Amino acid sequence: MPVENRGTSKNPRWRYNFTIRGVRYRQAIPEARTKYEAEKAEAQAKKDIYDGRYGRPTGERDLGDFIEKVYLPWSRENKRSWRGDKSNAPVILEWFRGKTFAEVSPLLIEKFKKFMRESITKKGTPRSARSVNEFLELLSSIFRLAIREKEVETNPCSQVKKLPLFNKRKRYLLDSEEPLLFAQFTGPRAHLKAMVTVAIGTGMRRSDQLPLRVAKIDFQRNCIWVPNSKTGRDYAIPMNEDVRQIMLEKCRSKASDDYVFFNPETGLPYTSLKKAFGTACRLAGISNLHWHDLRHTFGTRLGGAGYNAYEIMELMGHSEINTSLRYVHPTTERKQAAVEATRT
């Protein structure tokens, strides 16, 4: 079909409408005032199709509009960490307000990174490198979705380096500290005894342990199918005798969909153990110990017992061997034994 005028001679509304290889292309040509101009536009469109340029993303969409109408709804439906996206998105919306995708260059992102690195948090403390990297990753995720949605062709974030991190903790529960800590699990903190025992005996993340359901406990195979919150794929961790006894007690007379650990006041999993655990550590005279350090204790004890990084990787549900290597660091006792072995 040749170009056609859908308007009048005084107010023309030209458009082209043609098919190439079974694909139909139809587009208004508001700039054309005559049939000749419309035919030139049609010829150029056909050339662009043959050259592979037709329909190429222009990046003219407003970034903020895309974040609010496309990215955040998508994040809620597809990402486990969508709450973090929802929390961090307002900062990106404010910084890049009024910008289209095409206007967001690597240089502008570098300026954003510098601004965030020098900014102060709501608590009045300097923003950490990890926090800045979370904003950069969110922006990159937005561009990756925009590429999938044919809004842009490239991701400028790929040209911006993230800040180096130097905050790998190596704190773990010492053998001498363990009885002091468990002595505090009485009264209002009695519920921590079983939970800490399981944390040390399995290395589960708090985000995996707190919402653990009875169906994930496999007594026949003597293992727990840990619902890995980071990778989304369950992994099996065998139960030692202490953990097995706790699970037998906690799962008795419960349905498969019930929670293993729950707050008796709400019937729901505990949302945080920070206050109770922190109090127990303080009363025990233990400093600088976090709940996640119990997972590190599990990995460290595996390393100290001679298990290699690949075995630790399987038992802790890591997706990369480099993550497991940080759990294989020698204890003070093993260092001492090592240097003693050099004596003649």
Side-chain angles (χ1 to χ4, degrees):
M1 180 184 294
V3 294
E4 57 181 343
N5 182 5
R6 303 298 293 258
T8 65
S9 58
K10 291 184 178 181
N11 296 297
R13 289 189 297 152
W14 292 98
R15 75 170 186 175
Y16 57 71
N17 186 352
F18 57 84
T19 300
I20 296 178
R21 299 191 185 95
V23 179
R24 187 179 183 183
Y25 299 91
R26 181 170 54 188
Q27 179 70 50
I29 318 171
E31 301 84 0
R33 306 305 301 169
T34 67
K35 183 178 181 179
Y36 174 72
E37 291 176 346
E39 288 175 338
K40 285 184 62 177
E42 179 190 41
Q44 183 61 50
K46 289 180 178 179
K47 184 177 184 301
D48 287 344
I49 292 171
Y50 289 120
D51 291 344
R53 294 197 298 267
Y54 186 86
R56 178 175 291 179
T58 62
E60 294 304 312
R61 182 166 184 173
D62 182 82
L63 176 64
D65 179 74
F66 181 84
I67 292 174
E68 293 178 329
K69 295 181 180 179
V70 180
Y71 182 80
L72 289 178
W74 172 87
S75 175
R76 184 182 181 91
E77 294 298 323
N78 294 277
K79 293 182 66 177
R80 293 172 178 267
S81 58
W82 67 268
R83 290 184 177 84
D85 289 352
K86 182 180 178 180
S87 176
N88 290 337
V91 176
I92 292 179
L93 286 168
E94 179 63 27
W95 175 264
F96 295 98
R97 184 181 300 279
K99 300 290 185 185
T100 65
F101 278 107
E103 294 173 318
V104 181
S105 64
L107 179 59
L108 186 61
I109 298 173
E110 288 286 1
K111 291 180 179 179
F112 171 67
K113 182 175 74 171
K114 182 176 184 296
F115 168 79
M116 294 303 297
R117 190 69 181 98
E118 296 173 352
S119 65
I120 302 298
T121 67
K122 293 179 180 179
K123 296 181 180 180
T125 57
R127 190 173 298 279
S128 68
R130 180 178 294 276
S131 175
V132 175
N133 288 346
E134 287 177 356
F135 284 101
L136 294 176
E137 177 55 37
L138 172 57
L139 184 60
S140 183
S141 180
I142 292 168
F143 267 90
R144 288 196 296 271
L145 182 62
I147 291 173
R148 286 172 48 188
E149 295 297 318
K150 309 301 183 184
E151 297 288 351
V152 293
E153 286 189 306
T154 60
N155 183 354
C157 298
S158 62
Q159 301 180 47
V160 178
K161 291 184 178 181
K162 292 182 180 179
L163 296 174
L165 301 178
F166 303 102
N167 58 348
K168 296 293 186 182
R169 285 175 60 83
K170 291 192 176 182
R171 181 70 162 98
Y172 55 90
L173 184 65
L174 301 176
D175 292 345
S176 58
E177 294 174 328
E178 187 168 343
L180 300 176
L181 181 62
F182 273 79
Q184 308 306 320
F185 296 153
T186 59
R189 294 175 297 280
H191 63 289
L192 291 178
K193 183 176 181 179
M195 300 179 77
V196 170
T197 300
V198 171
I200 296 175
T202 64
M204 276 193 286
R205 298 179 181 88
R206 182 176 58 182
S207 57
D208 296 333
Q209 182 178 344
L210 295 188
L212 187 66
R213 295 181 186 268
V214 173
K216 296 295 184 180
I217 314 303
D218 190 338
F219 290 105
Q220 182 172 343
R221 294 181 176 84
N222 195 47
C223 69
I224 300 173
W225 293 96
V226 181
N228 195 325
S229 58
K230 281 201 170 184
T231 65
R233 299 187 299 271
D234 291 5
Y235 67 93
I237 174 70
M239 293 185 285
N240 63 30
E241 189 57 32
D242 290 340
V243 172
R244 181 180 175 84
Q245 289 304 315
I246 289 174
M247 291 303 175
L248 285 170
E249 177 184 345
K250 293 292 183 182
C251 295
R252 187 176 295 119
S253 301
K254 286 184 179 179
S256 61
D257 200 43
D258 288 343
Y259 295 108
V260 176
F261 304 102
F262 63 90
N263 188 333
E265 296 181 1
T266 64
L268 298 173
Y270 291 93
T271 56
S272 175
L273 301 170
K274 185 175 180 179
K275 184 176 180 180
F277 186 72
T279 300
C281 290
R282 177 174 55 81
L283 294 175
I286 300 173
S287 61
N288 191 32
L289 185 72
H290 303 165
W291 184 276
H292 191 73
D293 296 331
L294 301 178
R295 175 171 167 82
H296 194 48
T297 301
F298 174 74
T300 300
R301 291 182 178 180
L302 290 175
Y307 295 96
N308 62 47
Y310 289 99
E311 293 167 320
I312 294 174
M313 178 180 177
E314 291 292 326
L315 290 169
M316 300 189 74
H318 294 148
S319 57
E320 297 180 358
I321 191 66
N322 287 339
T323 307
S324 306
L325 288 172
R326 67 181 290 252
Y327 289 93
V328 186
H329 52 75
T331 62
T332 301
E333 293 79 4
R334 286 180 64 84
K335 287 180 181 179
Q336 184 64 43
V339 296
E340 290 293 341
T342 64
R343 297 177 60 191
T344 59

